[in-house]
Amino acid sequence: MCGRFSLNPDESKEIWDIVRAVEEKHKTIKTGEIYPSNDVPVIYSPDSDDIDYNATTWGFHRFKKGQLLINTHDLEP
């Protein structure tokens, strides 16, 4: 997982449509430069025949309250 990334809906109609769908369904999300703790859109499949959009907070929650884990990687081969 990266610490931050860029989400620019003005660069793609498909991304713009996803951002609007999430905002209509849930709440306003962050665009531009995304940092841990920002609300961002996600694409997921609730079942094998469907695709849906939702919002989530960017970052993994740590063991200490209020901290987010970033820049993670898997050490298993």
Side-chain angles (χ1 to χ4, degrees), residues 1 3 14 24:
M1 171 180 212
E14 290 83 6
E24 288 174 5

Side-chain angles (χ1 to χ4, degrees):
M1 171 180 212
C2 298
R4 41 181 131 163
F5 68 95
S6 180
L7 177 66
N8 296 309
D10 295 336
E11 295 177 0
S12 165
K13 181 185 179 324
E14 290 83 6
I15 294 174
W16 176 252
D17 291 342
I18 292 168
V19 168
R20 291 198 60 204
V22 170
E23 288 183 333
E24 288 174 5
K25 191 174 178 182
H26 300 285
K27 58 184 172 181
T28 302
I29 57 171
K30 174 85 167 67
T31 58
E33 191 167 7
I34 306 298
Y35 297 91
S37 79
N38 292 144
D39 291 328
V40 297
V42 291
I43 302 170
Y44 71 101
S45 179
D47 59 51
S48 61
D49 296 328
D50 209 10
I51 292 177
D52 202 358
Y53 311 110
N54 207 337
T56 192
T57 302
W58 183 248
F60 291 110
H61 292 279
R62 294 190 64 168
F63 300 106
K64 292 183 179 181
K65 186 176 181 179
Q67 288 186 336
L68 292 174
L69 182 63
I70 60 170
N71 294 331
T72 63
H73 63 278
D74 186 4
L75 297 177
E76 295 295 318

